[in-house]
Structure formats: C-alpha cells, structure tokens
Amino acid sequence: MALSEYKQNMEQCARCSCCKFVAPPYVESYQYAIGCPSIGYGNFHAYSGGGKVITSLALTSGVIDYSEEMLKTVHACSMCGNCAVSCKFNYAEKVEPLEIIRELRCKIVEDGQSDPAHIQLINYLKREDNIFGGPKADRSAWAEGLGIKDALEEKAEVLLHVGCHYSYDETLWPIIRGAARLLQEAGVDFGIAKKEEICCGGRAYEMGYRQELASYSESLKGRVKEAGCKILLTCCSDCYGSFQQLYPIAGQGLADVEVLHISQYLERLTKEGKLSTGEKVPLRVTYHDPCHLGRLGEPSQPWHGTVKKVLNMMDVTDPPKDVSFGVGGVYDAPRSVLQGIPGVELVEMERIKEYSFCCGAGGGAKEAYPDFALKTALERIEEARSTGAEALVTSCPWCVRNFRDALEESGQQFPVYDLVELVLKGMGTVKKEGAQ
Amino acid sequence: MNIDQNAYDALQSLLGAENISVDPAVLMGYRFSGITFIESLVDRSAAFDPFGGPKPIAVVLPSCAEEVQEIVRICNRYRIHCKAQSTGYGGHAMPGVENVVMVDLRKMNRIVEIDEKNLYAVIEPYVTAHQLQSEVMKRGMNCHVITAGGNHSPLASATSFQGQGPTGFTTSCNQRNLLGAEWVSPTGDLHRIGSPGSDAGWSCGDGPGPDFRGLLRGFTGAAGGLGIFTRIGYKLYPWPAKEKLKKTGKLPVVGVETPENYKFHFAYWESWDEMTEAAYHIMESEVAYSTVRIPQDWWGWFLTPTNNEFYRRFQDGTLPITREHGMHWATLIAGRTKTDFEYKNKVFQKIVADTNGKLLELPAEDEAVLLLQMISPMYTQRLMRAKKSALGMGGPTLAQMESMSLLKKLYETDIDCMKEYVKPGGALMAAGPDGTWAWPSEPRKLWTESVHFLDETPESLAGATEYAGKVLGSIMKDRGSLAFDQRLMIGGVNDIFGPQLGNVQDWMRKIKNAFDPRNVSDHSTYISPEPPPPMPMPPVPEFK
Ligand SMILES: Cc1cc2nc3c(=O)[nH]c(=O)nc-3n(C[C@H](O)[C@H](O)[C@H](O)COP(=O)(O)OP(=O)(O)OC[C@H]3O[C@@H](n4cnc5c(N)ncnc54)[C@H](O)[C@@H]3O)c2cc1C
C-alpha cells in the first residue's frame, strides 16, 4: 500500500502519546516507561510514532515539504515497532504507525530524499550483495576450516542463512563459528550458500528501498528452493524478522520451509537430547529481546481488503485483518535455552518481550545517526545493570555489536554475550576444542 | 506566519538550537489534532481539517521553570503568544490564535518528591499518570487517572482542565487534587501558590501562602490561557494492595489478577430507582474503592482485541455483558485487611440484595480485564477504536458534581433522545440504547456524561448535533439552566452560556486582563480579553 493509501489510518491518530511509552498495561515504573527511542532522542513530537504519522499525513496532503529537520525526525528512528505495539493496545489496526513509517521511508527514497548514509549502504548492497561493502567472494570467509557443506551443491536438511553482519564483521565471527560448531556437535545436516548467499533485503526495506526487498527476497527464495532444504535457519534476528514479516509483504512468503532462529533450533536440539549443556556457568544474566526476533519477528501476512462500516459507522476490516500485536514473536525459546545452562540465573528487565526497549541499531539509524544508537544502547545497558545482572545476553548480531560499541565508546564495562556464546560456555567440550 | 527573527534568536540563545524548532514538519506535530471535539462544539465544520487551525510559529523545549519564565518574558517583549503543552492530548492543547510559540514541557518530567506520610507527590508537567501510579503503588498509594487514560499529565489535568475519571469514588477529580503549585504568570513572574508560597512544603493548596487556585483554574481550568504551571503538589490516596499487580492475558486484552482482599463485582438492577438507591448506600457506607457504569455493550470493547471480534461477539450474543445488564455498577472492593475486606464485601453484597440487584458472574479472564480498567482506566481510548472520526466522539455532559437523585431522569432523557439516532441507518453508532457513563465522585456527587460516536458524513454530523441539542435542551428545560454542563465552558462558549452561570465570563475576563495585560497566553480555550459581539443562546430544540 502506498503512503497515500494510509490516509484514513493517519487521520485516526488521536495524538494520545501512547506510542512514546511501552504499552499502557506494562508501564511499571517512572524510569522505564518510555518505549520509543526516537522521541527520547529528539524530544519534539515529530520524533514519536504518532509524530511520524502526522508528518506522513502532512506530506501527502501537501501541507509540508521535505526539510533537513523533517528527514532527521524520520531517520533518527530504529524502526523498532514499539509505537505499533503500544498504539494497537487501544486502536488495533486503526492507525498502524509502523506500516505508515515504512511507507513514509519508501516515499522519501522514491522522492530522492534518502539519507546519505543509507545511500552508501545501498551502493554496497548493489555492488556486493551485502550492506557492509565486503567483497562477495569473502562471504563465507568466516567458515574457513569448519568443513561446512555448500548447500547449493550438496543437499542439506538445514540451510543456515548467515546474514551480512556475521559474514563481514570479524568481531562477531566467534559467534557464528560457534553456532556452526554447535550444529555440528548436534549432528545436524546443514549447509550454507557460501559466496552465493545474499543479503535478505530487510534492512534496505526498512530504510525505504522497497525494490531491493523485492529483488533480494525473490533471489533468496529461489536459492532456498534450489537448496531443497526443510529448514531455513538464521542466527540473525534481522534476517529472521525479514523472513517472517517482510517477505510476505514482498509477495515472497517462505511457506515451503520452516523458518527458525538459532534460539529456537537450539531449544529444539536440547529437547531432543542432541545438545546438552553440562558445564556450570555461574552467571546472573538478563536477556534483551531483539526487536526483529520479538515483536517484528511475529509471523504476519499483509492485508488486502476494505474497511466496512457496521452498526452504522464502526469500522471493521473485510476480510478480517490478522492484526499483529507483537505477542507472537520468539520470546520463550532463548529464555528456555538460557535457563537450561546450569548455573545461569535469568533476571528480567522491566521492558521485555513485545514491549522490549530497542538497542538502537535498527532501521539504518546507527549509520545515519550514530549518537542516537549510542544513547539508546546506553539506556538499555543501564536498565540491564539495574536488574543486578552481571551480563546482558541477546540473540542478534546488531544488538551485540551496538551494545559493545556503546560500551567501548563510553568507556564502560559490562559483559554482553550472544546466546550462542553462553551455550558454548555451557558446553565445555566445544569451548575446549575452540569455536574460533 | 513566521517568528520574528529577534524573538527566535533570543529563544535560541536561551535554550540552545536543539530545543527550538520552526521546521514546518515539526510544527505540524503541534497543529494536528486527532480530536477536535471541543472546538467542534462551537464550529463543527472547522474540525474536518486536522491541520486547519492556526499554526504555531515555533516550538520550544524548556528544561526548568527559569527557562519557562524567560520564554514568557521573550513572548511579552516581542508581542507574541505562547501556549503550554504537556502531553498534548486533544485540540485544546494546540494553538487557537496566530503567532503562538508552543511551549512543549516534555523535558520537565521529574517526580520531584513522593511524600508517603502526607499522601502527596510533587510533579512536573510531563510526568504521566501511569508513571506516577506505577511509582506510588509500590509505596501503597494510588493517584487519580482520568477516563482518557494514564498517558496524560496529572499536572495539566489538575491545573488546567477538569480531570474526571472513574476511580473518582476514592480519588476524586483532578480539579480537587491540586495542592501547592508553582506558576509562571503571563508576564513571566514565578509564583508559588499555597503552602509552597511560604516555603512550607507542597502539601496544601490553601496556604500558608497565597491561594489563587480559584482564580487560576476555576472549575474548568484555563486550558493554557493563563500562564504556565511548572510544578505542583498533587494528592495521593491509599492503595491497600501489598503485592505488585500481576498482569494476565496478552496484548491487547490484558488484565490483572485480583489482589488479596480485593474483589471485582458487576452488580445490576432492573430499575434506575433501585440502582440509584444502591448508589446512595454504596456512597454512604464507603465500601467501594471505585464504582462505574458505562453503556453495557461497550464493555465488550475491552474484552475483544479488534472491532471485528467485537462485532462478531456482539452479533452472536457471546459477550458476557448484555442489554439486560444496562443498569449496573461495576465495583471494586479493596480491603486493608482481611477483616476490612470481609466487612466491605458483605456490606456491598447486602446493598445489592436489599435493592433487588444481582451479581453477574463473569468468566475469570474477562473479570481480570475489567479489573484493570477499574484500577488504571483507558476507557476513552479503547472506545475510540470503535469510532474515532475527525470529530472524535461527542458528548454532552449531563451532570458534574450533581445529586445522585438525577440519575434516573438523565438516563431516561438520554435514552429517549438517542433512540432515533441509534437505529439501523441512524446518525450515531448503533451500539447500545444510550451512551451514558456515570460514577459517584468522592462518594457524594454524581458525575455523568453521554458519549456518542459520530461519523464524518454530513448526515451523521447533523444528527449528532441535533441529538446533543435535544438532550441538553430537554435537561435545560427541566432544570431551568445549563449549570449541569460546565464542561462546555471552554473558550468562546463561555460568552454564550456564561450569562446562565453567574456571568462567569465577566469574572474570567477580569482575571485574564489583570494577570495577562498583553494577552500573551493564547486565550482561545479560555476567554478573549475583549468581549465578542453579543451572541444569542442557540435555540433550544423542541423535544417531547
Ligand atoms: C478523547 C479525549 C478524551 C478525554 N477524556 C477526558 C477525561 O475523561 N477526563 C478529563 O479530565 N479530561 C479528558 N480529556 C481532556 C484531556 O485529555 C485532559 O485535559 C488531560 O489532562 C490532558 O492532559 P495532557 O497531558 O494531554 O495535557 P495537554 O493536552 O497538554 O493540556 C491540556 C490543556 O492544559 C494546558 N496545559 C497543559 N500543560 C499546562 C501547563 N503546564 N500550564 C498551563 N497550561 C497547561 C494546555 O494548553 C491544554 O489546553 C480528554 C481529551 C480527549 C482528546
């Protein structure tokens, strides 16, 4: 749906400000009531989810035009989706702020108003099929020496989609190599697409590049089909969210394979007795729900239909829209894996699951406004510390990297782990053999 | 209209570039109003364009009272208007005249103090009711939450609006929850009112120290038309539950487990007289924590995640609260101890039995959802899921601070007036025979309002106007004045209805001119400095 087609939704915004906070029933303290990192950064109403809805309406109504400041309000936003969850508590599908913001960004791109940092990422993507600009040929350099199958050459039950971040960020290689070692340890028949792997296209879409999502999703779906795998597994929350929410938007839903995130697969392997974490890891941890694994990982289908009036004027959708409230994300699997590691004690933050607070790295915000990403990450780390945890665990390369960068930049210390790293610790054997 | 460059420079050097904006997109966030129903009462056609009213010339983000003072002084110096905004929920928080600098108080968001012993908090403008409630509940207290939901500013509500909400049985209404206050006058002077005026803490609005509450807020509040409040002492109330509220269900149908020594009851009667009698006894015995009546079908909006689901269950009759439960009090009993609870619960049940009422057994998951609404309401917003037109919902207030004895008359009038509009094909939403909400406020007064849903079509608009005229006209005829509907007393309406209310408009004008000689505070939702040309009372529609 083009932005202008959301006019009726935009007009439904009551400017109630719920989008700035976590969903109303879950405001449990003064300090952690805020749910939108963007309003926390920019303060003017335009930075909030509702503010961007107003901007969208003003833009499509010809009341305003582009300006540097307007674009900043749109791009200093990690597209984390908190606004949508909070708005829908009362308004269900009536406004749909996240869908509107996605469309606003697409319009910005179509109108040639992209953020320069985003243009650079897209240039990389076009050149090298990844948004980091690393050479295509090096896509599977991380896997050297691990003896992983080429899933496009040899049939494998599981296709591990690694994603751009793990492929090109060497600081994260221990995590992805560790994940591969865990799969090997559990005897999983898996492969990777090696240098044929491409970006999922999700980040491009969140930055407003609709066409890139269309083409990458089509190609990726083709590769999945070619591989003939049963399971499409990813360690990257961003890719997971793209497969579950964005591919259906692009008409490339992955209905023929089971899409799993590594946390879900580890949980399954543990339950099946194929993996066991016997080594004690005495650590009090708190778990950060990545947005794209949580509320943005909830499987959803785009809706095409009309709004009908019943009872003289009440709006109902025809056919009924399957409204995404965020509750169907992956929340239990990572927690269950963590709690399965002897010695690990899980303490929860206040903002969790569908009302989790973002790390600040998403939607191209980190590239366009690094100070936004830094501020947001530090706020979350502070919340993690407040639980008395000794470490923060998450399950997303973007979150891990952004937290670690923020800690380094601010000269603070607080251990940040990916879930896989803790499982590796719990499996002393793998650790001793070395995941590197 | 653009801001005077010198004024801009002065504001920027005061606040820093990141705290002022004149960008058109940013300014639209302070023009757009999803709900313009208050202006629309005066000029309903004006409400169709969400960007239609005057646009601000700048928006500023002060961090402290001193900055607010300086902003107001700059506005005086350059002859520009200013308007305060806390969370900005509703058209009255947007500029109503040209040449306005919006003062967004978002950065003034501290809970300065919570005094458990003396039951008050000191708060700044952008502390929300949800934030405050979550903190004070940890300490065994509660605060008032208005019907619009906990994401509003209690400071804005207490200083500048009315602040009615369905926990009013215990938590009163915000116009009466205001204690000491800090106020920047329209000339830029900082005053502390009530006990803080003599450095005696924030616990008392009456003093020692000057008490201007009646002047500065009156019954309805000046809605931004008279200076800027920067800090207040705000009343808190005991909250007996010891444990943290445990949430049940999943978004968006979320509830809470019943705390120990608490009980939610849905009691209903077969006549308004019996329901009224029960209300008197509930008030007299003070056994309720909160008690509220909303149109019976509307409870279903809380119990269902979407309009589609509501409609399905409404049609197939599977919602637990139905037409036969129209005359009801949904009631929360909260005991301090087991004995206290048992006493209150028993008394309540006896009142219900003695007045021929019945208790409705609700499925546990539904009860949990309604219980949350009894504690931290979100009524208006959830109802707007059903229909939020550009005109919002309409709602003639039937009684505020009135006698419970009026309940029957008001309901029957509303049902009578509404019936032809809620028929299939009618001008209003066909969900329920009436739109009337009610609760006893401070166990002594009836507060009631009839809410209706209207569409953007000319037919619906005409029908809604006609209905509102009928219901108000009918009550006026009966009671001889409009005194029941002071909620309407916002902006220009004062000059129309004021003559019926002790010429309140003359007093307001005197206050406005005395405190704001340059008319710096945007007067549009308060009173114009000069009287407008005489406006006749709108004709009262004939209604039998
Ligand atoms: C759909 C809807 C339902 C509502 N239901 C209720 C209800 O049930 N009960 C109720 O009491 N009200 C209700 N209101 C009115 C409104 O929500 C309340 O007035 C609420 O207090 C607004 O809080 P806020 O933080 O949004 O204040 P704002 O909207 O920011 O301000 C409210 C008014 O006060 C002025 N103001 C704000 N802060 C200051 C300040 N620091 N100094 C001076 N003036 C200031 C503003 O200019 C504005 O005129 C409703 C409004 C809407 C739109």
Side-chain angles (χ1 to χ4, degrees):
Chain A
M1 256 162 85
L3 187 60
S4 53
E5 291 172 59
Y6 280 94
K7 184 166 188 285
Q8 206 185 340
N9 298 68
M10 298 188 254
E11 287 176 350
Q12 295 289 320
C13 174
R15 206 195 183 282
C16 69
S17 287
C18 277
C19 56
K20 296 171 184 166
F21 300 93
V22 295
Y26 298 111
V27 174
E28 305 229 314
S29 72
Y30 166 80
Q31 197 171 359
Y32 302 120
I34 288 290
C36 167
S38 190
I39 187 77
Y41 171 78
N43 286 304
F44 293 113
H45 187 75
Y47 283 87
S48 67
K52 288 175 195 124
V53 168
I54 295 172
T55 296
S56 303
L57 184 60
L59 187 68
T60 49
S61 313
V63 174
I64 57 162
D65 204 346
Y66 292 107
S67 68
E68 206 176 305
E69 210 173 327
M70 176 269 196
L71 290 167
K72 184 175 180 186
T73 66
V74 182
H75 290 137
C77 164
S78 49
M79 309 285 284
C80 75
N82 173 82
C83 54
V85 170
S86 294
C87 176
K88 288 176 183 187
F89 171 66
N90 282 314
Y91 296 101
E93 77 283 5
K94 298 292 289 281
V95 185
E96 293 284 12
L98 182 63
E99 287 184 21
I100 290 170
I101 299 169
R102 284 173 178 162
E103 284 304 323
L104 172 61
R105 285 186 168 208
C106 290
K107 181 169 168 55
I108 287 172
V109 170
E110 283 153 20
D111 292 347
Q113 300 288 336
S114 300
D115 188 277
H118 294 177
I119 293 174
Q120 187 174 16
L121 297 183
I122 297 302
N123 287 340
Y124 287 152
L125 182 66
K126 286 184 177 156
R127 202 179 67 213
E128 304 290 350
D129 286 339
N130 72 78
I131 54 175
F132 290 86
K136 267 187 217 185
D138 292 353
R139 182 105 195 173
S140 59
W142 66 270
E144 217 175 285
L146 289 176
I148 303 173
K149 264 190 204 175
D150 183 335
L152 299 183
E153 300 280 323
E154 264 179 277
K155 202 164 161 53
E157 189 171 315
V158 176
L159 172 63
L160 174 64
H161 176 81
V162 178
C164 303
H165 215 325
Y166 280 130
S167 299
Y168 292 100
D169 184 343
E170 285 190 43
T171 68
L172 301 177
W173 283 6
I175 302 172
I176 189 65
R177 286 176 68 83
R181 289 287 294 114
L182 290 173
L183 297 176
Q184 288 172 335
E185 180 86 5
V188 174
D189 173 25
F190 77 102
I192 54 176
K194 302 243 162 147
K195 64 180 184 340
E196 290 302 309
E197 187 184 287
I198 50 170
C199 177
C200 68
R203 186 53 57 98
Y205 178 68
E206 287 186 335
M207 294 187 304
Y209 291 83
R210 194 197 310 275
Q211 198 42 50
E212 275 60 29
L213 175 69
S215 58
Y216 280 93
S217 59
E218 192 183 348
S219 308
L220 201 142
K221 190 176 173 178
R223 281 169 169 78
V224 172
K225 201 167 173 196
E226 191 185 330
C229 60
K230 285 195 188 128
I231 294 174
L232 175 62
L233 175 69
T234 183
C235 298
C236 175
S237 296
D238 244 53
C239 299
Y240 181 83
S242 302
F243 298 151
Q244 297 290 26
Q245 284 203 354
L246 304 184
Y247 275 37
I249 294 175
Q252 303 294 344
L254 297 164
D256 298 337
V257 281
E258 188 183 10
V259 176
L260 289 178
H261 180 255
I262 187 72
S263 59
Q264 295 171 300
Y265 204 45
L266 290 177
E267 185 192 35
R268 182 183 291 182
L269 293 172
T270 310
K271 279 190 181 148
E272 288 171 352
K274 293 181 179 156
L275 267 187
S276 73
T277 43
E279 193 98 342
K280 204 159 180 191
V281 184
L283 197 62
R284 193 180 316 120
V285 302
T286 191
Y287 178 72
H288 164 81
D289 289 282
C291 306
H292 289 83
L293 184 59
R295 57 187 165 237
L296 301 181
E298 179 175 53
S300 71
Q301 292 298 325
W303 173 78
H304 303 283
T306 51
V307 175
K308 268 191 350 194
K309 288 186 197 299
V310 295
L311 300 174
N312 295 348
M313 65 194 59
M314 186 171 82
D315 297 330
V316 293
T317 48
D318 183 25
K321 184 172 184 175
D322 187 11
V323 184
S324 177
F325 291 104
V327 292
V330 178
Y331 303 119
D332 295 339
R335 288 176 169 78
S336 138
V337 171
L338 271 178
Q339 281 164 322
I341 304 170
V344 167
E345 184 196 342
L346 176 65
V347 284
E348 294 283 10
M349 288 184 269
E350 227 171 80
R351 295 176 287 188
I352 53 170
K353 301 188 179 177
E354 66 272 22
Y355 50 99
S356 175
F357 190 68
C358 177
C359 77
K366 181 167 167 135
E367 292 74 14
Y369 292 96
D371 55 336
F372 163 87
L374 174 74
K375 177 183 183 297
T376 308
L378 290 179
E379 197 179 321
R380 186 61 163 166
I381 289 165
E382 192 278 322
E383 184 179 357
R385 281 186 208 273
S386 76
T387 62
E390 297 155 321
L392 179 151
V393 183
T394 186
S395 206
C396 168
W398 297 87
C399 301
V400 168
R401 185 60 208 260
N402 195 41
F403 285 137
R404 288 179 181 168
D405 287 351
L407 286 161
E408 194 182 320
E409 217 166 304
S410 61
Q412 297 182 39
Q413 302 220 313
F414 193 66
V416 172
Y417 295 107
D418 187 273
L419 180 69
V420 165
E421 293 176 298
L422 272 205
V423 175
L424 287 168
K425 275 180 187 280
M427 298 201 33
T429 49
V430 177
K431 196 176 82 185
K432 272 170 224 142
E433 283 173 24
Q436 310 286 314
Chain B
M1 187 159 193
N2 294 330
I3 188 167
D4 176 293
Q5 188 59 42
N6 293 325
Y8 178 85
D9 292 344
L11 289 167
Q12 194 195 54
S13 82
L14 170 71
L15 302 164
E18 70 280 17
N19 292 314
I20 177 166
S21 178
V22 293
D23 182 85
V26 172
L27 295 183
M28 279 306 143
Y30 301 89
R31 171 57 261 159
F32 172 91
S33 156
I35 317 284
T36 44
F37 70 90
I38 284 165
E39 295 102 285
S40 71
L41 286 171
V42 185
D43 177 7
R44 283 187 170 233
S45 62
F48 275 109
D49 178 1
F51 300 113
K55 296 167 186 60
I57 51 171
V59 52
V60 291
L61 291 161
S63 298
C64 59
E66 291 70 28
E67 285 183 357
V68 173
Q69 268 187 283
E70 209 39 54
I71 291 164
V72 174
R73 286 185 185 137
I74 290 167
C75 290
N76 272 277
R77 199 175 314 139
Y78 293 98
R79 298 287 171 132
I80 49 189
H81 302 290
C82 63
K83 179 149 194 168
Q85 182 175 106
S86 289
T87 77
Y89 186 34
H92 44 286
M94 306 303 159
V97 293
E98 297 292 344
N99 211 17
V100 171
V101 171
M102 290 302 295
V103 184
D104 180 345
L105 296 158
R106 190 186 141 72
K107 286 188 157 181
M108 296 179 62
N109 61 355
R110 286 155 287 228
I111 299 178
V112 182
E113 184 189 347
I114 295 175
D115 187 326
E116 295 174 44
K117 291 216 168 76
N118 298 300
L119 285 170
Y120 72 89
V122 181
I123 51 171
E124 292 188 337
Y126 211 95
V127 173
T128 68
H130 271 149
Q131 285 177 308
L132 184 64
Q133 189 181 42
S134 66
E135 289 301 330
V136 300
M137 271 193 178
K138 292 176 192 163
R139 298 160 168 89
M141 293 175 288
N142 196 7
C143 65
H144 185 65
V145 179
I146 66 170
T147 332
N151 46 312
H152 71 282
S153 153
L155 179 144
S157 179
T159 60
S160 310
F161 232 74
Q162 287 185 328
Q164 62 272 14
T167 55
F169 192 94
T170 296
T171 59
S172 186
C173 53
N174 277 333
Q175 64 206 144
R176 290 151 86 103
N177 285 328
L178 176 63
L179 300 169
E182 182 180 82
W183 175 65
V184 174
S185 76
T187 47
D189 304 314
L190 188 83
H191 299 288
R192 286 192 163 179
I193 297 152
S195 52
S198 56
D199 278 339
W202 292 80
S203 66
C204 189
D206 313 289
D211 174 12
F212 302 162
R213 281 175 307 175
L215 295 179
L216 299 187
R217 65 142 299 126
F219 188 84
T220 313
L226 198 63
I228 300 179
F229 292 89
T230 47
R231 185 173 285 197
I232 60 166
Y234 184 64
K235 252 186 230 174
L236 301 174
Y237 298 87
W239 175 249
K242 292 184 182 60
E243 67 267 37
K244 187 179 162 194
L245 293 174
K246 285 204 197 79
K247 306 287 152 40
T248 62
K250 55 182 189 177
L251 284 173
V253 185
V254 180
V256 281
E257 280 179 17
T258 307
E260 198 184 344
N261 299 326
Y262 275 55
K263 177 78 188 142
F264 172 80
H265 285 295
F266 190 95
Y268 64 103
W269 290 263
E270 279 176 17
S271 76
W272 295 113
D273 284 330
E274 287 164 335
M275 180 184 165
T276 305
E277 195 192 337
Y280 273 118
H281 292 306
I282 298 168
M283 292 196 291
E284 183 192 8
S285 60
E286 296 194 7
V287 290
Y289 192 87
S290 54
T291 187
V292 58
R293 188 271 176 187
I294 74 170
Q296 64 278 359
D297 299 317
W298 300 13
W299 288 107
W301 275 305
F302 298 103
L303 303 176
T304 53
T306 57
N307 285 349
N308 285 69
E309 185 57 8
F310 169 82
Y311 184 57
R312 187 186 67 73
R313 293 188 61 188
F314 183 75
Q315 290 292 93
D316 63 22
T318 56
L319 289 168
I321 300 166
T322 64
R323 295 278 156 104
E324 71 177 289
H325 308 122
M327 298 158 196
H328 67 257
W329 292 117
T331 302
L332 176 63
I333 308 283
R336 276 153 216 268
T337 59
K338 192 162 180 284
T339 322
D340 181 42
F341 168 69
E342 281 169 356
Y343 164 76
K344 286 177 172 161
N345 202 31
K346 229 177 187 167
V347 172
F348 180 78
Q349 294 195 32
K350 183 163 175 9
I351 291 170
V352 175
D354 288 353
T355 51
N356 299 320
K358 290 187 195 128
L359 294 175
L360 179 67
E361 277 299 316
L362 290 168
E365 62 277 15
D366 290 347
E367 186 175 312
V369 172
L370 301 191
L371 178 59
L372 177 61
Q373 293 302 318
M374 297 297 292
I375 297 169
S376 194
M378 262 283 161
Y379 292 108
T380 327
Q381 296 193 27
R382 183 57 74 94
L383 297 181
M384 283 198 297
R385 185 186 84 195
K387 185 73 211 171
K388 197 234 86 179
S389 69
L391 298 171
M393 301 181 299
T397 301
L398 302 178
Q400 300 201 352
M401 306 276 182
E402 273 284 7
S403 163
M404 190 56 76
S405 61
L406 287 171
L407 187 80
K408 179 183 176 183
K409 174 79 193 158
L410 296 175
Y411 271 71
E412 286 179 348
T413 305
D414 193 36
I415 291 170
D416 222 12
C417 293
M418 211 181 234
K419 65 176 180 254
E420 69 173 279
Y421 304 99
V422 294
K423 285 193 299 217
L428 304 179
M429 188 181 291
D434 70 274
T436 307
W437 302 48
W439 56 82
S441 194
E442 289 182 350
R444 67 179 70 230
K445 306 271 187 215
L446 169 67
W447 185 89
T448 180
E449 174 175 0
S450 175
V451 178
H452 57 267
F453 298 90
L454 63 153
D455 215 345
E456 278 100 352
T457 62
E459 298 77 37
S460 179
L461 188 57
T465 310
E466 197 179 272
Y467 151 73
K470 275 182 182 174
V471 76
L472 293 179
S474 169
I475 298 169
M476 252 174 84
K477 223 176 225 174
D478 197 56
R479 308 204 57 216
S481 90
L482 239 190
F484 54 88
D485 200 354
Q486 293 105 323
R487 195 200 64 147
L488 288 177
M489 303 311 288
I490 290 170
V493 183
N494 286 293
D495 281 300
I496 304 176
F497 295 116
Q500 293 205 28
L501 301 169
N503 284 321
V504 66
Q505 78 285 3
D506 292 341
W507 292 101
M508 289 166 76
R509 192 159 278 121
K510 276 182 194 159
I511 295 166
K512 170 77 177 168
N513 287 324
F515 281 115
D516 191 4
R518 290 203 176 103
N519 187 23
V520 162
S521 293
D522 173 352
H523 68 262
S524 56
T525 44
Y526 182 44
I527 192 93
S528 58
E530 296 299 326
M535 277 180 275
M537 266 287 290
V540 176
E542 217 24 71
F543 179 68
K544 293 184 193 18

